[in-house]
Amino acid sequence: MNFSVITSQFWSLCLQGLALGLIYALVSLGYTMVYGVLRLINFANSEVFMLGTFATLVIETTVFGYEMSAEPLHGMKLALTLAATFIGTMIFSAILGVLVELVAYRRLRARGANRLSSLISAIGVSIFLLEGVRILTESRPQTAPRLLEKWSLGEFNGANFRIDTVLTVVIPIVIFIILDQFVNRSRLGKSIRAVSMSEENSKLMGININRVITLTFAIGGLTTGAAAFLYTTVYENTIFKVGFSM
């Protein structure tokens, strides 16, 4: 093994790994939020991420009309376009997360079905979304336009602090802080924690269980949508199996 490569590129690989790891962390929040409340793994969350990457691409190319050959944006136009795409992708993913809850979980929960039935239902929704996008895209990878020029903020021991990499590190940390404050300080956040501790006692306290569960799926969708936007912005491509691979 050539250790000289590792030592010479350590800080560069460390920065890239940190950025990619934070994208994984955002996606994992979509899983852990649902698991904390329902004690079930939402297998369809990987497809929420996948469709979020396509949503980013569609917003940039269809809504804003930027072609693949378009020049990178600058100034206020760049900031507004990225912000609108970021918010649009998060909202789309949140709505999709809520729809997954309504289709795969709520009806079964209302009928008192066991956890295995809900698990199989979530896997079915995941396969449906995956195969649907595969058919629509004919299994071809899709490329996103480069709206953000990958200029460098500086270097440290060979690590290039590109603007997209820095955003991928900063934005998830801000989201983690906001989510932590929401869960621990807000009334809805306390309801989520109460349901995660005891669903039956939460009902006795007057908490609307369905509303809390829907909110949990929506929050998971928001964080997964943020991860999808960052992934598409950094890597500028997506494919139907990107969520499954992750």
Side-chain angles (χ1 to χ4, degrees), residues 1-193:
M1 184 174 181
N2 187 358
F3 287 98
S4 62
V5 175
I6 297 178
T7 55
S8 63
Q9 300 182 16
F10 175 80
W11 289 109
S12 177
L13 295 173
C14 182
L15 180 61
Q16 295 174 22
L18 176 63
L20 181 58
L22 286 169
I23 292 177
Y24 272 82
L26 282 175
V27 176
S28 73
L29 278 177
Y31 288 101
T32 56
M33 289 293 294
V34 173
Y35 183 81
V37 173
L38 293 181
R39 295 295 185 270
L40 288 171
I41 296 176
N42 178 20
F43 281 98
N45 195 58
S46 57
E47 274 53 64
V48 173
F49 171 79
M50 178 267 292
L51 285 168
T53 62
F54 279 95
T56 298
L57 192 153
V58 169
I59 292 172
E60 292 176 348
T61 58
T62 303
V63 177
F64 290 109
Y66 294 110
E67 299 179 354
M68 299 303 166
S69 58
E71 293 293 325
L73 303 178
H74 300 280
M76 187 58 66
K77 189 175 183 179
L78 171 64
L80 291 176
T81 301
L82 290 181
T85 306
F86 178 64
I87 294 172
T89 302
M90 290 180 68
I91 292 174
F92 170 82
S93 299
I95 293 173
L96 184 60
V98 171
L99 289 176
V100 168
E101 190 272 327
L102 293 174
V103 172
Y105 289 99
R106 180 167 297 190
R107 290 175 64 85
L108 291 174
R109 193 170 64 252
R111 296 182 179 183
N114 57 35
R115 295 182 182 275
L116 181 60
S117 299
S118 298
L119 191 68
I120 294 172
S121 178
I123 294 174
V125 171
S126 174
I127 294 173
F128 172 79
L129 295 174
L130 178 72
E131 289 299 310
V133 175
R134 183 189 66 81
I135 293 171
L136 289 174
T137 61
E138 298 179 343
S139 303
R140 296 175 181 172
Q142 307 295 312
T143 304
R146 175 171 290 189
L147 303 184
L148 177 64
E149 189 174 0
K150 307 300 177 66
W151 50 273
S152 175
L153 295 173
E155 290 191 3
F156 175 77
N157 285 351
N160 183 12
F161 286 80
R162 289 188 339 194
I163 183 62
D164 57 328
T165 305
V166 173
L167 288 175
T168 306
V169 173
V170 173
I171 291 176
I173 293 175
V174 173
I175 291 175
F176 297 153
I177 294 172
I178 293 174
L179 183 59
D180 177 73
Q181 294 298 307
F182 172 79
V183 171
N184 288 296
R185 296 183 181 274
S186 70
R187 185 179 181 88
L188 289 174
K190 291 177 181 178
S191 298
I192 292 174
R193 287 191 290 145

